[in-house]
mmCIF file of all heavy atoms in Angstrom:
data_model
loop_
_atom_site.group_PDB
_atom_site.id
_atom_site.type_symbol
_atom_site.label_atom_id
_atom_site.label_comp_id
_atom_site.label_asym_id
_atom_site.label_seq_id
_atom_site.Cartn_x
_atom_site.Cartn_y
_atom_site.Cartn_z
ATOM 1 N N SER J 750 -2.105 14.923 -110.247
ATOM 2 C CA SER J 750 -2.319 16.253 -109.691
ATOM 3 C C SER J 750 -3.538 16.243 -108.742
ATOM 4 O O SER J 750 -4.351 17.144 -108.785
ATOM 5 C CB SER J 750 -2.574 17.224 -110.817
ATOM 6 O OG SER J 750 -3.832 16.899 -111.439
ATOM 7 N N VAL J 797 -7.747 23.231 -100.370
ATOM 8 C CA VAL J 797 -9.147 23.418 -100.156
ATOM 9 C C VAL J 797 -9.630 22.200 -99.341
ATOM 10 O O VAL J 797 -9.486 21.068 -99.790
ATOM 11 C CB VAL J 797 -9.927 23.467 -101.477
ATOM 12 C CG1 VAL J 797 -11.415 23.536 -101.249
ATOM 13 C CG2 VAL J 797 -9.491 24.667 -102.306
ATOM 14 N N ARG J 800 -14.827 18.774 -97.274
ATOM 15 C CA ARG J 800 -15.861 18.723 -96.259
ATOM 16 C C ARG J 800 -16.626 17.423 -96.261
ATOM 17 O O ARG J 800 -17.316 17.134 -95.263
ATOM 18 C CB ARG J 800 -16.835 19.861 -96.445
ATOM 19 C CG ARG J 800 -16.306 21.160 -95.968
ATOM 20 C CD ARG J 800 -17.427 22.139 -95.843
ATOM 21 N NE ARG J 800 -16.981 23.464 -96.289
ATOM 22 C CZ ARG J 800 -16.661 24.430 -95.456
ATOM 23 N NH1 ARG J 800 -16.721 24.260 -94.175
ATOM 24 N NH2 ARG J 800 -16.261 25.574 -95.927
ATOM 25 N N SER J 821 -40.584 28.989 -111.287
ATOM 26 C CA SER J 821 -41.137 29.893 -112.273
ATOM 27 C C SER J 821 -41.840 31.018 -111.596
ATOM 28 O O SER J 821 -41.913 32.131 -112.108
ATOM 29 C CB SER J 821 -42.150 29.122 -113.160
ATOM 30 O OG SER J 821 -41.612 27.903 -113.563
ATOM 31 N N LYS J 830 -34.104 33.109 -101.927
ATOM 32 C CA LYS J 830 -33.164 34.193 -101.676
ATOM 33 C C LYS J 830 -32.978 34.436 -100.181
ATOM 34 O O LYS J 830 -31.863 34.621 -99.695
ATOM 35 C CB LYS J 830 -33.658 35.434 -102.411
ATOM 36 C CG LYS J 830 -32.702 36.621 -102.292
ATOM 37 C CD LYS J 830 -33.306 37.865 -102.892
ATOM 38 C CE LYS J 830 -32.355 39.033 -102.709
ATOM 39 N NZ LYS J 830 -33.066 40.325 -102.955
ATOM 40 N N GLU J 833 -31.005 31.588 -98.648
ATOM 41 C CA GLU J 833 -29.593 31.624 -98.940
ATOM 42 C C GLU J 833 -28.870 32.734 -98.191
ATOM 43 O O GLU J 833 -27.787 32.542 -97.682
ATOM 44 C CB GLU J 833 -29.385 31.826 -100.451
ATOM 45 C CG GLU J 833 -28.082 31.328 -101.004
ATOM 46 C CD GLU J 833 -26.926 32.317 -100.846
ATOM 47 O OE1 GLU J 833 -27.215 33.537 -100.623
ATOM 48 O OE2 GLU J 833 -25.781 31.923 -100.931
ATOM 49 N N HIS J 842 -24.867 26.170 -97.027
ATOM 50 C CA HIS J 842 -25.351 26.320 -98.381
ATOM 51 C C HIS J 842 -26.555 25.450 -98.618
ATOM 52 O O HIS J 842 -26.631 24.347 -98.094
ATOM 53 C CB HIS J 842 -24.264 25.939 -99.383
ATOM 54 C CG HIS J 842 -23.067 26.806 -99.313
ATOM 55 N ND1 HIS J 842 -23.047 28.089 -99.856
ATOM 56 C CD2 HIS J 842 -21.874 26.648 -98.703
ATOM 57 C CE1 HIS J 842 -21.879 28.624 -99.595
ATOM 58 N NE2 HIS J 842 -21.139 27.796 -98.884
ATOM 59 N N PRO J 843 -27.492 25.939 -99.430
ATOM 60 C CA PRO J 843 -28.666 25.104 -99.761
ATOM 61 C C PRO J 843 -28.324 24.104 -100.888
ATOM 62 O O PRO J 843 -27.599 24.447 -101.817
ATOM 63 C CB PRO J 843 -29.699 26.131 -100.249
ATOM 64 C CG PRO J 843 -28.908 27.335 -100.650
ATOM 65 C CD PRO J 843 -27.583 27.323 -99.919
ATOM 66 N N LEU J 845 -30.533 22.147 -103.575
ATOM 67 C CA LEU J 845 -31.884 22.459 -104.002
ATOM 68 C C LEU J 845 -32.547 21.318 -104.756
ATOM 69 O O LEU J 845 -31.929 20.606 -105.534
ATOM 70 C CB LEU J 845 -31.802 23.682 -104.959
ATOM 71 C CG LEU J 845 -33.118 24.188 -105.513
ATOM 72 C CD1 LEU J 845 -33.978 24.729 -104.406
ATOM 73 C CD2 LEU J 845 -32.832 25.275 -106.569
ATOM 74 N N ILE J 847 -36.477 20.713 -106.851
ATOM 75 C CA ILE J 847 -37.772 21.302 -107.264
ATOM 76 C C ILE J 847 -38.767 20.170 -107.465
ATOM 77 O O ILE J 847 -38.498 19.261 -108.282
ATOM 78 C CB ILE J 847 -37.625 22.061 -108.592
ATOM 79 C CG1 ILE J 847 -36.485 23.093 -108.495
ATOM 80 C CG2 ILE J 847 -38.924 22.715 -108.983
ATOM 81 C CD1 ILE J 847 -36.759 24.213 -107.556
ATOM 82 N N ASP J 861 -33.287 11.583 -101.887
ATOM 83 C CA ASP J 861 -32.048 11.937 -102.520
ATOM 84 C C ASP J 861 -31.257 12.973 -101.702
ATOM 85 O O ASP J 861 -30.057 12.802 -101.486
ATOM 86 C CB ASP J 861 -32.359 12.554 -103.874
ATOM 87 C CG ASP J 861 -31.847 11.666 -105.011
ATOM 88 O OD1 ASP J 861 -31.888 10.446 -104.867
ATOM 89 O OD2 ASP J 861 -31.418 12.245 -106.005
ATOM 90 N N SER J 864 -29.753 11.809 -98.505
ATOM 91 C CA SER J 864 -28.563 11.001 -98.605
ATOM 92 C C SER J 864 -27.293 11.822 -98.544
ATOM 93 O O SER J 864 -26.195 11.278 -98.360
ATOM 94 C CB SER J 864 -28.601 10.188 -99.905
ATOM 95 O OG SER J 864 -28.308 10.992 -101.011
ATOM 96 N N ARG J 866 -26.904 13.836 -96.151
ATOM 97 C CA ARG J 866 -26.795 14.100 -94.725
ATOM 98 C C ARG J 866 -26.692 15.606 -94.424
ATOM 99 O O ARG J 866 -25.737 16.073 -93.800
ATOM 100 C CB ARG J 866 -25.576 13.388 -94.134
ATOM 101 C CG ARG J 866 -25.657 11.883 -94.195
ATOM 102 C CD ARG J 866 -26.701 11.367 -93.246
ATOM 103 N NE ARG J 866 -26.672 9.896 -93.184
ATOM 104 C CZ ARG J 866 -27.366 9.114 -94.001
ATOM 105 N NH1 ARG J 866 -28.143 9.627 -94.939
ATOM 106 N NH2 ARG J 866 -27.310 7.800 -93.871
ATOM 107 N N GLU J 889 -34.546 13.262 -88.059
ATOM 108 C CA GLU J 889 -33.565 13.545 -87.004
ATOM 109 C C GLU J 889 -32.699 14.760 -87.299
ATOM 110 O O GLU J 889 -31.475 14.743 -87.137
ATOM 111 C CB GLU J 889 -32.645 12.329 -86.778
ATOM 112 C CG GLU J 889 -33.396 11.144 -86.179
ATOM 113 C CD GLU J 889 -32.469 10.053 -85.794
ATOM 114 O OE1 GLU J 889 -31.234 10.296 -85.742
ATOM 115 O OE2 GLU J 889 -32.965 8.926 -85.509
ATOM 116 N N ARG J 977 -54.860 37.628 -118.163
ATOM 117 C CA ARG J 977 -55.462 38.524 -119.148
ATOM 118 C C ARG J 977 -56.546 37.797 -119.946
ATOM 119 O O ARG J 977 -57.676 38.289 -120.055
ATOM 120 C CB ARG J 977 -54.368 39.049 -120.084
ATOM 121 C CG ARG J 977 -54.914 39.990 -121.089
ATOM 122 C CD ARG J 977 -53.830 40.580 -121.983
ATOM 123 N NE ARG J 977 -54.504 41.292 -123.056
ATOM 124 C CZ ARG J 977 -53.911 42.069 -123.948
ATOM 125 N NH1 ARG J 977 -52.588 42.272 -123.844
ATOM 126 N NH2 ARG J 977 -54.570 42.661 -124.899
ATOM 127 N N GLN J 1010 -57.318 47.601 -119.508
ATOM 128 C CA GLN J 1010 -56.722 48.699 -120.283
ATOM 129 C C GLN J 1010 -57.031 48.547 -121.754
ATOM 130 O O GLN J 1010 -57.366 49.511 -122.428
ATOM 131 C CB GLN J 1010 -55.205 48.725 -120.047
ATOM 132 C CG GLN J 1010 -54.783 49.091 -118.626
ATOM 133 C CD GLN J 1010 -53.299 49.061 -118.428
ATOM 134 O OE1 GLN J 1010 -52.546 48.497 -119.259
ATOM 135 N NE2 GLN J 1010 -52.811 49.674 -117.361
ATOM 136 N N ILE J 1030 -44.542 44.913 -109.182
ATOM 137 C CA ILE J 1030 -45.145 45.342 -110.422
ATOM 138 C C ILE J 1030 -46.590 45.791 -110.278
ATOM 139 O O ILE J 1030 -47.004 46.765 -110.905
ATOM 140 C CB ILE J 1030 -45.086 44.190 -111.508
ATOM 141 C CG1 ILE J 1030 -45.677 44.721 -112.809
ATOM 142 C CG2 ILE J 1030 -45.822 42.948 -111.048
ATOM 143 C CD1 ILE J 1030 -45.441 43.806 -113.970
ATOM 144 N N ALA J 1033 -46.643 49.302 -109.230
ATOM 145 C CA ALA J 1033 -46.165 50.287 -110.187
ATOM 146 C C ALA J 1033 -47.169 50.556 -111.309
ATOM 147 O O ALA J 1033 -46.956 51.442 -112.136
ATOM 148 C CB ALA J 1033 -44.839 49.797 -110.803
ATOM 149 N N LEU J 1034 -48.242 49.782 -111.353
ATOM 150 C CA LEU J 1034 -49.263 50.024 -112.377
ATOM 151 C C LEU J 1034 -49.829 51.428 -112.266
ATOM 152 O O LEU J 1034 -49.855 52.010 -111.172
ATOM 153 C CB LEU J 1034 -50.394 49.000 -112.176
ATOM 154 C CG LEU J 1034 -50.172 47.574 -112.583
ATOM 155 C CD1 LEU J 1034 -51.284 46.691 -111.997
ATOM 156 C CD2 LEU J 1034 -50.124 47.440 -114.115
ATOM 157 N N PRO J 1035 -50.317 51.951 -113.365
ATOM 158 C CA PRO J 1035 -50.962 53.273 -113.289
ATOM 159 C C PRO J 1035 -52.082 53.284 -112.245
ATOM 160 O O PRO J 1035 -52.228 54.280 -111.537
ATOM 161 C CB PRO J 1035 -51.548 53.445 -114.694
ATOM 162 C CG PRO J 1035 -50.673 52.588 -115.568
ATOM 163 C CD PRO J 1035 -50.247 51.431 -114.727
ATOM 164 N N SER K 123 -30.316 5.807 -81.788
ATOM 165 C CA SER K 123 -31.102 5.752 -82.987
ATOM 166 C C SER K 123 -30.367 6.255 -84.240
ATOM 167 O O SER K 123 -30.928 6.917 -85.059
ATOM 168 C CB SER K 123 -32.355 6.559 -82.781
ATOM 169 O OG SER K 123 -32.010 7.899 -82.724
ATOM 170 N N VAL K 170 -31.189 4.857 -95.787
ATOM 171 C CA VAL K 170 -30.877 5.950 -96.725
ATOM 172 C C VAL K 170 -29.364 5.971 -96.846
ATOM 173 O O VAL K 170 -28.667 6.173 -95.853
ATOM 174 C CB VAL K 170 -31.374 7.289 -96.196
ATOM 175 C CG1 VAL K 170 -30.940 8.408 -97.126
ATOM 176 C CG2 VAL K 170 -32.867 7.272 -96.071
ATOM 177 N N ARG K 173 -24.185 9.430 -98.928
ATOM 178 C CA ARG K 173 -23.386 9.724 -100.122
ATOM 179 C C ARG K 173 -22.076 10.433 -99.786
ATOM 180 O O ARG K 173 -21.193 10.539 -100.625
ATOM 181 C CB ARG K 173 -24.195 10.602 -101.078
ATOM 182 C CG ARG K 173 -25.173 9.812 -101.886
ATOM 183 C CD ARG K 173 -25.659 10.651 -103.005
ATOM 184 N NE ARG K 173 -27.096 10.448 -103.200
ATOM 185 C CZ ARG K 173 -27.595 9.681 -104.137
ATOM 186 N NH1 ARG K 173 -26.827 9.062 -104.987
ATOM 187 N NH2 ARG K 173 -28.915 9.520 -104.238
ATOM 188 N N SER K 194 -33.152 37.951 -107.268
ATOM 189 C CA SER K 194 -34.248 38.899 -107.343
ATOM 190 C C SER K 194 -34.696 39.061 -108.764
ATOM 191 O O SER K 194 -35.871 39.305 -109.050
ATOM 192 C CB SER K 194 -33.794 40.296 -106.846
ATOM 193 O OG SER K 194 -33.109 40.145 -105.643
ATOM 194 N N LYS K 203 -33.697 27.189 -112.801
ATOM 195 C CA LYS K 203 -34.718 26.182 -113.086
ATOM 196 C C LYS K 203 -34.268 25.229 -114.191
ATOM 197 O O LYS K 203 -34.415 24.026 -114.074
ATOM 198 C CB LYS K 203 -35.976 26.920 -113.538
ATOM 199 C CG LYS K 203 -37.153 25.984 -113.764
ATOM 200 C CD LYS K 203 -38.348 26.741 -114.333
ATOM 201 C CE LYS K 203 -39.486 25.776 -114.664
ATOM 202 N NZ LYS K 203 -40.492 26.438 -115.518
ATOM 203 N N GLU K 206 -31.592 22.898 -112.733
ATOM 204 C CA GLU K 206 -32.118 21.876 -111.846
ATOM 205 C C GLU K 206 -32.856 20.805 -112.626
ATOM 206 O O GLU K 206 -32.722 19.620 -112.349
ATOM 207 C CB GLU K 206 -33.089 22.551 -110.846
ATOM 208 C CG GLU K 206 -33.239 21.759 -109.568
ATOM 209 C CD GLU K 206 -34.278 20.677 -109.668
ATOM 210 O OE1 GLU K 206 -35.143 20.712 -110.584
ATOM 211 O OE2 GLU K 206 -34.301 19.756 -108.827
ATOM 212 N N HIS K 215 -27.793 17.255 -107.970
ATOM 213 C CA HIS K 215 -28.435 18.397 -107.318
ATOM 214 C C HIS K 215 -27.513 19.574 -107.300
ATOM 215 O O HIS K 215 -26.301 19.401 -107.084
ATOM 216 C CB HIS K 215 -28.855 18.029 -105.924
ATOM 217 C CG HIS K 215 -29.850 16.935 -105.869
ATOM 218 N ND1 HIS K 215 -31.159 17.106 -106.175
ATOM 219 C CD2 HIS K 215 -29.701 15.620 -105.622
ATOM 220 C CE1 HIS K 215 -31.801 15.975 -106.071
ATOM 221 N NE2 HIS K 215 -30.939 15.026 -105.736
ATOM 222 N N PRO K 216 -28.096 20.770 -107.455
ATOM 223 C CA PRO K 216 -27.276 21.976 -107.323
ATOM 224 C C PRO K 216 -27.034 22.373 -105.882
ATOM 225 O O PRO K 216 -27.966 22.282 -105.049
ATOM 226 C CB PRO K 216 -28.114 23.021 -108.046
ATOM 227 C CG PRO K 216 -29.527 22.517 -108.036
ATOM 228 C CD PRO K 216 -29.462 21.032 -107.897
ATOM 229 N N LEU K 218 -26.143 25.812 -104.042
ATOM 230 C CA LEU K 218 -26.286 27.161 -104.556
ATOM 231 C C LEU K 218 -25.521 28.220 -103.749
ATOM 232 O O LEU K 218 -25.462 28.152 -102.520
ATOM 233 C CB LEU K 218 -27.787 27.525 -104.514
ATOM 234 C CG LEU K 218 -28.177 28.901 -105.027
ATOM 235 C CD1 LEU K 218 -27.884 29.002 -106.519
ATOM 236 C CD2 LEU K 218 -29.661 29.129 -104.760
ATOM 237 N N ILE K 220 -25.073 32.654 -103.909
ATOM 238 C CA ILE K 220 -25.440 33.930 -104.542
ATOM 239 C C ILE K 220 -24.352 34.941 -104.253
ATOM 240 O O ILE K 220 -24.037 35.237 -103.120
ATOM 241 C CB ILE K 220 -26.780 34.475 -103.952
ATOM 242 C CG1 ILE K 220 -27.868 33.400 -104.018
ATOM 243 C CG2 ILE K 220 -27.177 35.734 -104.701
ATOM 244 C CD1 ILE K 220 -28.301 33.065 -105.417
ATOM 245 N N ASP K 234 -15.806 27.861 -100.839
ATOM 246 C CA ASP K 234 -16.723 27.128 -99.982
ATOM 247 C C ASP K 234 -17.367 25.987 -100.726
ATOM 248 O O ASP K 234 -17.425 24.875 -100.218
ATOM 249 C CB ASP K 234 -17.806 28.115 -99.504
ATOM 250 C CG ASP K 234 -17.757 28.358 -98.030
ATOM 251 O OD1 ASP K 234 -16.643 28.378 -97.487
ATOM 252 O OD2 ASP K 234 -18.819 28.470 -97.427
ATOM 253 N N SER K 237 -15.223 23.047 -101.592
ATOM 254 C CA SER K 237 -14.870 22.175 -100.488
ATOM 255 C C SER K 237 -15.845 21.007 -100.351
ATOM 256 O O SER K 237 -15.597 20.064 -99.647
ATOM 257 C CB SER K 237 -14.817 22.951 -99.155
ATOM 258 O OG SER K 237 -16.119 23.266 -98.726
ATOM 259 N N ARG K 239 -16.518 19.254 -102.885
ATOM 260 C CA ARG K 239 -16.054 18.392 -103.995
ATOM 261 C C ARG K 239 -17.173 18.068 -104.964
ATOM 262 O O ARG K 239 -17.509 16.894 -105.189
ATOM 263 C CB ARG K 239 -15.474 17.109 -103.417
ATOM 264 C CG ARG K 239 -14.247 17.286 -102.567
ATOM 265 C CD ARG K 239 -13.073 17.736 -103.455
ATOM 266 N NE ARG K 239 -11.833 17.744 -102.695
ATOM 267 C CZ ARG K 239 -11.360 18.797 -102.026
ATOM 268 N NH1 ARG K 239 -12.072 19.935 -102.045
ATOM 269 N NH2 ARG K 239 -10.230 18.735 -101.404
ATOM 270 N N GLU K 262 -10.192 21.376 -111.862
ATOM 271 C CA GLU K 262 -10.166 19.975 -112.273
ATOM 272 C C GLU K 262 -11.550 19.337 -112.306
ATOM 273 O O GLU K 262 -11.746 18.233 -111.814
ATOM 274 C CB GLU K 262 -9.247 19.147 -111.308
ATOM 275 C CG GLU K 262 -7.813 19.569 -111.430
ATOM 276 C CD GLU K 262 -6.916 18.629 -110.642
ATOM 277 O OE1 GLU K 262 -7.403 17.576 -110.237
ATOM 278 O OE2 GLU K 262 -5.754 19.001 -110.462
ATOM 279 N N ARG K 350 -40.214 53.104 -114.165
ATOM 280 C CA ARG K 350 -41.293 54.067 -114.274
ATOM 281 C C ARG K 350 -40.820 55.465 -113.828
ATOM 282 O O ARG K 350 -40.971 56.450 -114.565
ATOM 283 C CB ARG K 350 -42.464 53.627 -113.363
ATOM 284 C CG ARG K 350 -43.629 54.553 -113.433
ATOM 285 C CD ARG K 350 -44.799 54.085 -112.629
ATOM 286 N NE ARG K 350 -45.786 55.197 -112.560
ATOM 287 C CZ ARG K 350 -46.996 55.100 -112.128
ATOM 288 N NH1 ARG K 350 -47.483 53.965 -111.704
ATOM 289 N NH2 ARG K 350 -47.803 56.141 -112.125
ATOM 290 N N GLN K 383 -48.641 55.234 -119.815
ATOM 291 C CA GLN K 383 -50.074 55.061 -119.595
ATOM 292 C C GLN K 383 -50.592 56.132 -118.629
ATOM 293 O O GLN K 383 -51.669 56.740 -118.830
ATOM 294 C CB GLN K 383 -50.358 53.688 -119.023
ATOM 295 C CG GLN K 383 -50.101 52.535 -119.992
ATOM 296 C CD GLN K 383 -50.329 51.187 -119.389
ATOM 297 O OE1 GLN K 383 -50.431 51.040 -118.170
ATOM 298 N NE2 GLN K 383 -50.415 50.144 -120.225
ATOM 299 N N ILE K 403 -44.506 39.121 -119.276
ATOM 300 C CA ILE K 403 -45.326 40.285 -118.904
ATOM 301 C C ILE K 403 -45.274 41.347 -119.993
ATOM 302 O O ILE K 403 -46.277 42.009 -120.288
ATOM 303 C CB ILE K 403 -44.913 40.866 -117.567
ATOM 304 C CG1 ILE K 403 -45.841 42.025 -117.230
ATOM 305 C CG2 ILE K 403 -43.472 41.331 -117.558
ATOM 306 C CD1 ILE K 403 -45.709 42.514 -115.830
ATOM 307 N N ALA K 406 -47.716 40.620 -122.630
ATOM 308 C CA ALA K 406 -49.114 40.659 -122.261
ATOM 309 C C ALA K 406 -49.627 42.092 -122.136
ATOM 310 O O ALA K 406 -50.814 42.301 -121.949
ATOM 311 C CB ALA K 406 -49.328 39.909 -120.952
ATOM 312 N N PRO K 408 -51.043 45.760 -122.994
ATOM 313 C CA PRO K 408 -51.923 46.187 -124.055
ATOM 314 C C PRO K 408 -51.167 46.527 -125.330
ATOM 315 O O PRO K 408 -51.596 46.200 -126.406
ATOM 316 C CB PRO K 408 -52.583 47.413 -123.464
ATOM 317 C CG PRO K 408 -52.545 47.212 -121.988
ATOM 318 C CD PRO K 408 -51.282 46.482 -121.745
#
Side-chain angles (χ1 to χ4, degrees):
Chain J
S750 67
V797 175
R800 282 195 219 259
S821 313
K830 184 185 176 195
E833 204 276 344
H842 297 283
L845 182 65
I847 307 292
D861 245 36
S864 76
R866 296 290 186 271
E889 293 188 13
R977 182 177 169 171
Q1010 292 178 344
I1030 183 169
L1034 286 166
Chain K
S123 68
V170 176
R173 282 195 219 257
S194 312
K203 184 185 175 196
E206 204 276 343
H215 297 283
L218 181 65
I220 306 292
D234 245 36
S237 75
R239 296 290 188 270
E262 294 187 13
R350 182 176 169 169
Q383 292 178 345
I403 183 170

